[in-house]
Amino acid sequence: MCAPVQAALLISLACGCQHARPTYSELPGHAAQAAAPSLKPVTLPNQRDPAWLKPPTDLYTLGPGDRVEIEVLGDPASRTITIVAPDGKLYFNLLPGIDVWGATLSQAKAMLEKGLSGYVKEKPQVSIILRAVESKRVWVLGRVQAPGVYAMTGPMTVLEAISMAGGTMSLSNYRDQEAAGISEELADLQRSFVIRHGKLLPVDFQKLLKDGDFSQNIYLEPDDFVYLPAARAREVYVLGAVAQPRPVPWSEGLTVAGAVASAYGTINGAYMHHVAVVRGSLSEPQVAIIDYKDVIRGKAQDIALQPHDIVYVPFSPYRYLQRYVELVINTFASAAAINAGTRVVNQNTQNGAAGVFIPVGSGVQILPPVSPPPIH
C-alpha cells in the first residue's frame, strides 16, 4: 500500500467517519416548526363625528329615579317631592300614574294638569321642578381620584367627567402616595377609552390630556363609560371562545398557550387557526395572527406575551383584518369597563350605598378578578 493511501486510512480510522447530522425536520415523526408570526400595525378608522364636539341641544327628559318637586299652584299643602318610579310613572295626588319616561319637564307639567283636571272644577296649574338627576349618568372608572357613577345634569365633555371624578392620578400625587407607602398606580393614557353602546369611540387620551388636543374632547351621552386603566398593571386579557374569559397575571415567559390555559382552555366551537394577539395603544394597535392548533401540536412557534396584550380566540375565521381587530378591541373595552363597573357596584353595596344600574344589552362579558393560573 502506498504511503499516501496509508496516511489517509490512518486519519479515517482515528477520526471516524464524518457525516452531516440530520436536522430536526429530518428526524422521524417530527416536522419543522413554522416561525412565529411577527406583529404588524393595523390602521383603524379614527373618524370622529363632528356632532360629538357640539353640546346637545335636546331638553332634559325624565327617567326612572329622577326626583321632582310638584305643587298645584294656590295649594301649598299639595307640594311634595316624589321620584319617577321604575315603570317611568309619576304618582301624585289622586292620579293613578302618569307616564313621564322620556318627557320633558314642560310635557310632564301638561300631562299632570290634564290628569288633575278630571278631579277639580277649575283648570289646575302645576309647578314641577327637577331636584335630583338619577336616570342619566356617566361612568368614570379606573385611575382617577374618585371612580364612580356621576349624574349628568347637563351637557358634559370627557374632560368635565374626569374633573368631576377628581382628575387622573398625577405624577406628584403618585410620588406623595408612594412616599407614604400607599400603592397607587398612574393611568395608562394609551389604553384609556370611551365606550358607548358596547363600542369603542375614537378618543385619544394621550393627545387630549398630554398634548391639549381638544378635538378629542367629545360630549358624553348617558351610560357612557370613561375608563383609564392602570399603567403598571401586569396582566394579559384572554377573551373570546375560552372557558373563562379573564385577565390573567403576566410573568416572564408567558406565552399564548400559557395564557389560554390560564383561562381554562378553549371551548367547543372555537376556531383556533386565527387566534389574535393585539398589542400597543388602542388607537394604533399591532396584531399577530397565529394558528393556535399548530402551536399546541408543536408545528408552529408560540408567541411570548407582554403586559397589556390581548389574546382573542374567535368562533369563526376572519375575512378582513381591520374588522377583526376592531372586534377584539371592542370586546376588550366592553369587558374591562363592565369589570371595573362591577367593582364600583360591589364597593357601593358593601359601604351600604344604593346600588347602581348597569346598562342592559351591551353584550359585554363580566370578568372575575385576577387569580393565579389553575394547577394541573
Side-chain angles (χ1 to χ4, degrees), residues 40-44 200 276-279 281-282 284-289 310 312 318 320-332:
K40 299 178 181 179
V42 176
T43 302
L44 298 179
L200 198 72
V277 176
V278 178
R279 180 175 299 169
S281 69
L282 298 182
E284 298 177 354
Q286 294 180 310
V287 63
I289 307 297
I310 305 168
Y312 185 83
Y318 77 90
Y320 303 101
L321 183 61
Q322 183 187 84
R323 293 181 183 177
Y324 185 32
V325 175
E326 284 186 88
L327 169 66
V328 174
I329 290 179
N330 280 321
T331 303
F332 158 74

Side-chain angles (χ1 to χ4, degrees), residues 251-300:
S251 60
E252 191 71 36
L254 179 67
T255 63
V256 172
V260 172
S262 295
Y264 297 94
T266 59
I267 61 176
N268 290 334
Y271 189 80
M272 294 188 287
H273 298 289
H274 287 172
V275 173
V277 176
V278 178
R279 180 175 299 169
S281 69
L282 298 182
S283 58
E284 298 177 354
Q286 294 180 310
V287 63
I289 307 297
I290 70 170
D291 190 326
Y292 181 67
K293 182 161 285 189
D294 279 353
V295 168
I296 59 179
R297 288 176 176 175
K299 295 181 179 180

Side-chain angles (χ1 to χ4, degrees), residues 127-202:
S127 168
I128 179 170
I129 302 172
L130 181 65
R131 292 301 186 188
V133 174
E134 291 295 336
S135 65
K136 293 177 174 59
R137 295 169 291 190
V138 62
W139 301 65
V140 188
L141 308 171
R143 306 315 303 156
V144 291
Q145 303 289 346
V149 188
Y150 294 90
M152 296 184 68
T153 57
M156 180 184 297
T157 65
V158 173
L159 283 179
E160 289 170 340
I162 294 175
S163 176
M164 186 178 294
T168 61
M169 293 289 185
S170 65
L171 185 59
S172 60
N173 174 269
Y174 172 70
R175 286 172 176 169
D176 294 342
Q177 290 173 337
E178 192 173 40
I182 303 174
S183 178
E184 294 289 350
E185 298 186 44
L186 299 176
D188 185 351
L189 300 182
Q190 287 191 334
R191 295 175 179 83
S192 299
F193 57 81
V194 178
I195 189 170
R196 177 177 298 167
H197 305 311
K199 293 186 177 180
L200 198 72
L201 299 186

